[in-house]
Amino acid sequence: MKAVQLPQYNKNVLRALLSLHVAEIPMPEPGPDEVVVKLHAATCNPSDIAFIRGVYNIIKPIPAIPGFEASGIVVKTGEHCSSLGGKMVSCFVQSEHSGTWSEFFLANREDLIVLGEGFDMDQAAAFSVNPFTAWGMMEIAKMRESRAIVQNASGGQVAAFIRKLAGQAGIRVIDIVRKSEMAEELAKEKATVLCETDEDFQEQLTTLANEWNATTAFDAVGSTLSGIMLNALPEDSELVVYGGLSGKQLADFSGMDIIFRKKIISGFNLIDWKKEYDKDAFEEIVKEVEKLFRKGELSTRFQGSTVIDNITTGLKTYISNMSSGKLLIRPGA
């Protein structure tokens, strides 16, 4: 079978992309709790770019097959997974010895979401991570009884899901973007948007966050923006960090705010959040999220697709404008 291989990690993203190549490798064999999935489509997410640069929290032995998220059909099962044969699935795979950027890949049965009949398999390729990240973080805002939320990286897909889920819950959202063009685009959708490059950005954010009593903030960026966001929030607020797109350390927090104004910094990790639920409880959440996708109330935006043989060209296009949508990676002819 064909698979994309990464021969070495490289913090220079262009060099990392150029090092990727397609190899013919043996078909994987499932262990007792594993299945082999025939790829329909995989995705490229920021986490995948971080992985090939060697700066993600998962490091695989080299050469490695990249790719964490995908959709496909189970074509072979281990002895403990026979009931999964022939199922259409969405997967989030973190195996050291497999990856979704390949024609077939291994997945542990715990990595799978079994889909109902007729679910769009392109949407399924991006179903396992971002929708549930948004759902889980919205639970934090609801638990805090927040009247409003602040979030950055607002041109991204998680932010789009947050806006939709927050609107359904009657919670207002203050969106932060880096580019004025994105601010204008979101404003057309009637979002409340602040641009971090504006001279009075911090003043605008502080005023609006306190006026709306935005006591929860979601941070996908890091760096000094983390401190700016937390410092702008009213008393008894929480900054939830779920990404590090800037590649820089969180900075510029007001220690006095944390000590005397009861402000909290926490982290959100999807895998840990899922562990809080037993199988039946999580399946109920899956049904609710799947229902929103089937009704068209939630959907992932894709900027285009590529095939395994053209992986480097496709990824170059993707990273040049990541905010325009995710990239689908198909097995090819």
Side-chain angles (χ1 to χ4, degrees):
M1 70 173 192
K2 289 182 180 179
V4 177
Q5 284 194 333
L6 176 72
Q8 60 184 3
Y9 297 101
N10 196 313
K11 289 187 177 180
N12 181 298
V13 66
L14 182 57
R15 289 177 181 172
L17 292 183
L18 291 174
S19 75
L20 294 172
H21 63 271
V22 178
E24 288 282 350
I25 63 173
M27 287 277 292
E29 286 294 325
D33 294 307
E34 294 179 318
V35 301
V36 175
V37 180
K38 181 180 180 181
L39 179 69
H40 169 81
T43 60
C44 182
N45 293 303
S47 57
D48 296 299
I49 300 301
F51 170 78
I52 66 175
R53 294 178 61 229
V55 296
Y56 194 53
N57 67 319
I58 295 172
I59 302 292
K60 300 181 183 182
I62 293 300
I65 302 174
F68 298 118
E69 197 175 19
S71 63
I73 182 170
V74 175
V75 293
K76 196 169 187 178
T77 68
E79 60 182 303
H80 300 159
C81 311
S82 58
S83 63
L84 295 170
K87 299 292 187 182
M88 307 302 294
V89 294
S90 177
C91 319
F92 182 65
V93 176
Q94 298 186 79
S95 167
E96 285 189 352
H97 306 293
S98 194
T100 62
W101 295 3
S102 54
E103 292 180 311
F104 298 85
F105 58 89
L106 283 176
N108 189 284
R109 61 180 177 178
E110 300 300 324
D111 299 333
L112 307 177
I113 295 176
V114 178
L115 302 166
E117 186 178 348
F119 195 88
D120 185 299
M121 291 302 287
D122 282 358
Q123 288 293 321
F127 184 68
S128 292
V129 178
N130 287 342
F132 296 96
T133 297
W135 186 279
M137 292 198 300
M138 280 301 303
E139 287 186 343
I140 296 171
K142 291 175 181 178
M143 181 180 64
R144 295 187 61 84
E145 298 182 348
S146 295
R147 289 167 47 196
I149 292 165
V150 178
Q151 65 174 350
N152 57 24
S154 292
Q157 192 60 65
V158 171
F161 290 148
I162 290 288
R163 279 192 295 276
K164 187 66 177 182
L165 295 173
Q168 293 176 344
I171 299 173
R172 302 170 90 174
V173 178
I174 302 167
D175 284 301
I176 299 172
V177 297
R178 188 165 53 89
K179 297 180 179 179
S180 58
E181 295 85 355
M182 180 56 67
E184 292 170 4
E185 185 176 329
L186 291 180
K188 292 176 184 176
E189 301 175 14
K190 299 185 178 178
T192 299
V193 193
L194 303 180
C195 189
E196 62 181 278
T197 55
D198 288 350
E199 284 187 15
D200 60 345
F201 164 65
Q202 295 185 44
E203 182 182 341
Q204 290 182 64
L205 179 59
T206 301
T207 299
L208 195 54
N210 282 268
E211 180 183 331
W212 285 10
N213 197 29
T215 56
T216 305
F218 300 135
D219 178 16
V221 177
S223 190
T224 58
L225 184 55
S226 303
I228 290 170
M229 290 172 70
L230 186 69
N231 298 343
L233 301 179
E235 186 171 335
D236 192 22
S237 294
E238 181 173 359
L239 177 75
V240 182
V241 181
Y242 72 100
L245 292 173
S246 68
K248 299 178 181 178
Q249 296 293 319
L250 280 62
D252 287 2
F253 297 104
S254 167
M256 295 301 101
D257 271 16
I258 294 171
I259 296 168
F260 296 111
R261 300 192 69 208
K262 296 184 287 185
K263 295 187 181 182
I264 299 169
I265 306 166
S266 65
F268 180 88
N269 175 26
L270 179 64
I271 294 173
D272 290 338
W273 172 76
K274 287 172 68 175
K275 289 177 182 176
E276 296 175 8
Y277 296 90
D278 62 30
K279 182 179 179 182
D280 291 341
F282 184 68
E283 285 183 355
E284 288 303 312
I285 295 175
V286 170
K287 288 177 183 177
E288 290 299 314
V289 178
E290 185 174 339
K291 190 185 303 180
L292 293 172
F293 270 78
R294 288 182 180 276
K295 291 164 65 177
E297 295 181 14
L298 294 181
S299 64
T300 296
R301 185 174 69 252
F302 298 111
Q303 61 170 267
S305 65
T306 190
V307 294
I308 286 174
D309 282 329
N310 294 333
I311 189 66
T312 298
T313 301
L315 291 178
K316 283 182 181 178
T317 301
Y318 167 70
I319 65 171
S320 69
N321 188 15
M322 292 169 68
S323 62
S324 67
K326 296 193 177 300
L327 177 71
L328 282 172
I329 300 167
R330 304 189 190 279

